[in-house]
Amino acid sequence: MKIILADPPRKESHYDNSYPNIGILYLISYLRKYCSTPLELIYLEGDCTLEEHLRFIESHRPDVYGLSFAMWTADLAYKTLSSVKRRFPKTLTICGGPEPTANHELVFENSTVDICVLGEGEATLKELIEAFAAQGDLAQIPGLAIRQPQGGVLLTPKRPLIHDLEEIPLPAWDLVDLRKYSGMHINRSSPQTHMLVSRGCPFDCNFCANPVWKLNKPWVRMRQPQSIAQEVKLLYDKGVREIYMTSDEFNVSEKWSLDVCQAIQSLGLRDLFFQCNLRADNVSDKLAQAFKDINLWLIHLGIESGNQRTLDGIGKHITLEQVERTCHIMQAAGIKVFGFVMLFHAWEEQGQLQWETAADVHKTLDFCRSLLSRKLIQYMSWQVATPMPGSRLHATAKKFNLIPNKKITGVWAQNLLLPGVTSSEVKKALRRGMLLKNYYLLKNGNINLSHLSRALRNLKVILGRQHG
């Protein structure tokens, strides 16, 4: 049986092609190890147009075609799925990832896909392929939404999560040429890639959907340190010289984080660099030194807001004092900090809508500017709060009619219609945020050259030389 697992054809959009789809690489490695059906597995990467995508499928004629996507590429994915089904009607079309998991009704409404895989996909896809090969009953497989011939959708029971992540083989890194991918916007060395060190998050911020990992518990699972070190060595031997250790927060357990650092340090790879995500409430001098010992040179810190009222309202469970303390610890250790904030939050308290005014947003930008000027952070970026399907923010936005009838995209995105907040106030705040972001990006360096043109283009927008 021939299986193609694909990314959306990104040449149809402006979406970054920073990394290969690690979710697909995990699916392939799992199928290689556990699937009883003989398979030819093909990863169709996203560096192509839709027509090139279709021609590739034509040349291979798969029995099963699968597409993985998130909200950001949903419209392109719908178009791709429908095009594939129209041209290859006998091919079983499936899809998975954050968007199908959170919003399968919308996927069926906007495409002609046959099946959505809901949640963690490895075991579900294995059972689906085995049943399809044997002409079995797909309705008996947990974790699926299946389009019915007579209309409607059949939902099967939820799929239990894989508790022991060591059951899943390392990703199928042999299928990709990592030199084709640009990596993070900021880096110390190249080639660069990412690797998944944990799955899920124990917290429940109102803006986070995280639907793939939250269909069942436990909400967070961590890989064994020695397994992580094994993958680090594998990637190093493939020529990788910088790794983003992907985790919602690398410091959810300090002991685990220290053990991971020790396992990596024992490899003795002194020309290899790392980045990771941190929360602000569980950071110590000991952890910072462990980061320093493995060349972990940059942390990505979820600050979210410069208003304590907002942090409390969105369920972040950190304080501004903890943010500053973490930044001081990293500064003392010589580790750089990338601060990330969201602007124009909204939340609900005791049935009443709460939101950030333009003044609140400027207070957040003031806080970032203060951290930048004191060199407590070196970089910052922002996003307008987005009501992602599956999040509490999305439920709040629907309840209070905050979602625009027509989505404003591009530089001046306005994802929530907040009371009393005008579009001109939004543009003014976003212009200031872009200036801060790009000024300090250019000032502090380590810019990935493949992303430099974007930074310069953004500055032109800020300075009014072209309209966003």
Side-chain angles (χ1 to χ4, degrees), residues 334-349:
I335 296 170
K336 294 187 176 184
V337 178
F338 188 116
F340 191 83
V341 296
M342 284 191 182
L343 310 178
F344 296 104
H345 283 281
W347 64 97
E348 188 175 350
E349 288 181 8

Side-chain angles (χ1 to χ4, degrees), residues 203 249 251 277-283 301 316-318 326:
F203 301 96
E249 55 279 312
N251 59 332
N277 296 345
L278 283 192
R279 274 182 63 87
D281 60 348
N282 190 23
V283 178
L301 188 65
K316 184 66 180 176
H317 300 297
I318 61 170
T326 293

Side-chain angles (χ1 to χ4, degrees), residues 58-309:
E58 176 74 42
S59 68
H60 289 81
R61 287 286 176 170
D63 302 284
V64 178
Y65 166 88
L67 189 70
S68 172
F69 62 98
M71 185 185 75
W72 314 110
T73 54
D75 289 341
L76 175 58
Y78 300 152
K79 180 180 178 182
T80 303
L81 287 166
S82 296
S83 298
V84 171
K85 194 63 180 177
R86 184 167 53 249
R87 192 172 296 192
F88 312 103
K90 294 183 180 179
T91 298
L92 179 70
T93 58
I94 63 177
C95 65
E99 180 67 7
T101 296
N103 222 0
H104 68 269
E105 301 97 336
L106 200 61
V107 175
F108 285 122
E109 180 183 329
N110 287 282
S111 76
T112 54
V113 71
D114 296 316
I115 296 174
C116 291
V117 174
L118 309 182
E120 195 171 44
E122 285 89 356
T124 304
L125 184 59
K126 168 195 170 289
E127 293 179 19
L128 188 159
I129 288 173
E130 289 175 341
F132 182 67
Q135 298 183 334
D137 185 4
L138 303 186
Q140 300 302 312
I141 299 170
L144 297 178
I146 305 171
R147 187 189 299 276
Q148 297 298 284
Q150 69 276 16
V153 174
L154 171 67
L155 283 176
T156 67
K158 290 182 180 179
R159 163 75 57 178
L161 295 172
I162 299 173
H163 285 217
D164 183 3
L165 296 183
E166 302 315 308
E167 293 179 13
I168 308 172
L170 298 184
W173 289 112
D174 57 290
L175 295 183
V176 295
D177 179 357
L178 293 170
R179 294 170 298 181
K180 296 193 322 186
Y181 294 88
S182 60
M184 282 295 294
H185 296 191
I186 301 169
N187 68 326
R188 284 280 299 273
S189 190
S190 62
Q192 184 201 80
T193 194
H194 68 155
M195 58 181 283
L196 197 66
V197 297
S198 70
R199 292 187 175 189
C201 172
F203 301 96
D204 193 24
C205 300
N206 86 322
F207 55 83
C208 182
N210 209 345
V212 173
W213 315 129
K214 289 190 174 177
L215 285 185
N216 273 307
K217 292 194 175 183
W219 278 2
V220 62
R221 293 151 294 153
M222 297 170 287
R223 292 175 57 189
Q224 291 298 319
Q226 289 304 322
S227 170
I228 294 170
Q230 179 188 356
E231 188 172 2
V232 166
K233 183 63 165 59
L234 183 153
L235 291 171
Y236 182 85
D237 290 344
K238 287 178 66 67
V240 171
R241 290 300 178 265
E242 183 161 347
I243 298 173
Y244 194 128
M245 292 193 288
T246 304
S247 173
D248 280 358
E249 55 279 312
F250 188 67
N251 59 332
V252 67
S253 161
E254 184 181 67
K255 180 183 183 307
W256 174 78
S257 303
L258 292 170
D259 289 346
V260 171
C261 291
Q262 179 59 45
I264 292 173
Q265 187 180 2
S266 68
L267 297 173
L269 307 176
R270 298 309 304 162
D271 59 340
L272 182 64
F273 296 88
F274 294 92
Q275 303 181 31
C276 74
N277 296 345
L278 283 192
R279 274 182 63 87
D281 60 348
N282 190 23
V283 178
S284 65
D285 294 323
K286 185 178 182 181
L287 185 60
Q289 183 58 51
F291 288 171
K292 190 74 173 177
D293 291 342
I294 64 167
N295 290 338
L296 199 160
W297 73 279
L298 179 66
I299 68 157
H300 298 251
L301 188 65
I303 299 171
E304 313 308 351
S305 177
N307 303 280
Q308 190 62 50
R309 165 179 164 267

